[in-house]
């Protein structure tokens, strides 16, 4: 058990309903208590009103998701368990996110960008050839345009894994801060929070999402921060949090955001009391 985890949360946890994860909320809750967490939260991929892809829950499975989180709450009353959803931002489909927001008593909605306007997923291994043989600069440009729109939509409580296109290790040449600037400005203007997502350390890029430069720019802009694992297995809960805490401290952060019923509060970053 780590005393550091007691002052941290992990709000980006997935369940088998997304079809690429293992471990139900009760399994994550048990591990969370063993590791010393006092608060965690779930954020499985949002359902769509029609068949869409093969890595999210179906709309008629939403009640099962809600029930699974409630079961964990009842079985582990000593652990605070938040209810969230990771929602894909798709231009023109904003009204569906608004509809989802009314379907449960969410603690938070996470905005994420997986799809480019052309309709392909930037983090799906089946499209890795587009990076290897295509224009990485153009891919990053399209992604960051979509990410800025996601932030400015004001549909979400925080946004996920900002520089996801680096997942497979492909980055444009030069100073990448040119891609971050518009999204940083959007965070500053909307007051939206973002996450340091440790899953990047488990991917080919072997780097936190986002880069240290992004975190430093976000701090300078006054953007609130969370630290999450994006765990798809209970064993990944809280993974690499020490690296994420170090990244946040080096950027200047002294506080982390928490959510309850879509209201944000701030707590001290470990070691910054």
């Amino acid at each position: 058990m780590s005393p550091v985890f007691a002052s941290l949360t992990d709000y980006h946890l997935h369940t088998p309903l997304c079809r690429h994860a293992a471990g139900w909320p009760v399994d994550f809750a048990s591990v969370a208590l063993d590791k010393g967490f006092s608060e965690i939260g779930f954020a499985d991929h949002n359902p769509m009103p029609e068949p869409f892809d093969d890595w999210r829950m179906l709309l008629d499975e939403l009640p099962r998701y809600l029930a699974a989180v409630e079961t964990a709450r009842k079985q582990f009353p000593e652990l605070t368990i938040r209810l969230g959803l990771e929602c894909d931002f798709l231009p023109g489909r904003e009204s569906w996110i608004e509809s989802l927001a009314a379907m449960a008593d969410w603690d938070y909605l996470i905005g994420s960008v997986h799809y480019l306007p052309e309709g392909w997923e930037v983090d799906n291994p089946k499209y890795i050839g587009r990076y290897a043989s295509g224009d990485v600069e153009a891919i990053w440009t399209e992604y960051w345009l979509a990410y800025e729109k996601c932030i400015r939509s004001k549909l979400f409580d925080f946004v996920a894994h900002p520089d996801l296109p680096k997942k497979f290790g492909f980055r444009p040449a030069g100073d990448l801060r040119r891609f971050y600037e518009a999204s940083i400005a959007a965070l500053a203007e909307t007051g939206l929070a973002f996450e340091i997502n440790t899953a990047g350390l488990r991917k080919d890029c072997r780097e936190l999402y986002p880069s240290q430069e992004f975190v430093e720019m976000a701090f300078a802009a006054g953007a609130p921060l969370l630290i999450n694992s994006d765990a798809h297995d209970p064993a990944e809960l809280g993974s690499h949090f020490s690296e994420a805490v170090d990244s946040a401290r080096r950027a200047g952060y002294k506080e982390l955001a928490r959510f309850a019923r879509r209201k944000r509060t701030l707590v001290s970053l470990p070691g910054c009391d």
Side-chain angles (χ1 to χ4, degrees):
M1 177 183 296
S2 169
V4 173
F5 286 139
S7 57
L8 295 171
T9 60
D10 196 345
Y11 282 165
H12 194 154
L13 308 177
H14 290 275
T15 81
L17 291 174
C18 74
R19 291 159 176 79
H20 60 286
W24 289 96
V26 292
D27 303 310
F28 279 95
S30 178
V31 172
L33 288 176
D34 287 343
K35 289 190 173 184
F37 279 95
S38 62
E39 185 171 329
I40 61 171
F42 293 88
D44 226 339
H45 294 288
N46 70 286
M48 294 294 288
E50 75 284 332
F52 194 78
D53 52 33
D54 60 358
W55 49 266
R56 68 185 65 243
M57 76 178 86
L58 302 176
L59 184 56
D60 62 7
E61 293 174 324
L62 182 58
R64 186 179 179 190
Y65 174 62
L66 303 179
V69 173
E70 188 59 30
T71 296
R73 286 171 167 169
K74 291 178 179 178
Q75 191 167 330
F76 297 92
E78 66 273 44
L79 179 68
T80 299
I81 300 177
R82 302 299 184 190
L83 175 66
L85 206 60
E86 182 182 0
C87 303
D88 276 273
F89 177 75
L90 302 165
R93 305 297 297 271
E94 291 88 348
S95 62
W96 176 240
I97 303 301
E98 293 171 348
S99 296
L100 282 171
M103 292 183 186
D105 291 327
W106 307 108
D107 289 303
Y108 52 85
L109 296 181
I110 309 176
S112 63
V113 173
H114 295 95
Y115 284 91
L116 294 190
E118 295 85 356
W120 63 279
E121 305 129 279
V122 296
D123 64 329
N124 193 323
K126 73 179 180 180
Y127 294 115
I128 195 170
R130 290 177 180 254
Y131 289 94
S133 61
D135 186 343
V136 177
E137 178 95 12
I139 292 171
W140 274 58
T141 298
E142 287 297 312
Y143 172 85
W144 284 102
L145 286 171
Y147 204 81
E148 180 190 0
K149 291 178 181 177
C150 176
I151 295 168
R152 293 191 182 279
S153 73
K154 298 183 180 180
L155 292 168
F156 310 109
D157 300 295
F158 65 93
V159 285
H161 37 60
D163 50 3
L164 185 62
K166 72 182 181 188
K167 176 180 177 178
F168 304 113
F170 295 96
R171 298 175 179 83
D175 188 343
L176 299 180
R177 287 177 291 186
R178 67 188 186 275
F179 294 101
Y180 310 153
E181 289 171 347
S183 289
I184 295 294
L187 289 174
E189 292 167 23
T190 62
L192 197 68
F194 76 102
E195 68 173 13
I196 292 179
N197 183 309
T198 66
L201 290 171
R202 308 191 298 269
K203 308 301 181 183
D204 293 346
C205 63
R206 296 293 189 268
E207 185 180 292
L208 293 166
Y209 300 127
S211 69
Q212 186 64 25
E213 290 81 4
F214 186 103
V215 179
E216 292 171 358
M217 292 169 69
F219 173 74
L225 170 69
L226 299 90
I227 292 174
N228 294 316
S229 68
D230 204 346
H232 287 64
D233 186 288
E236 296 171 345
L237 177 70
S239 67
H240 297 293
F241 268 30
S242 60
E243 290 96 323
V245 168
D246 180 64
S247 172
R249 285 176 179 161
R250 284 187 285 123
Y253 279 97
K254 295 184 178 180
E255 295 179 313
L256 296 174
R258 291 191 179 191
F259 288 92
R261 297 297 180 94
R262 306 202 67 183
K263 300 295 183 181
R264 185 173 71 210
T265 58
L266 296 174
V267 299
S268 294
L269 185 68
C272 296
D273 295 320

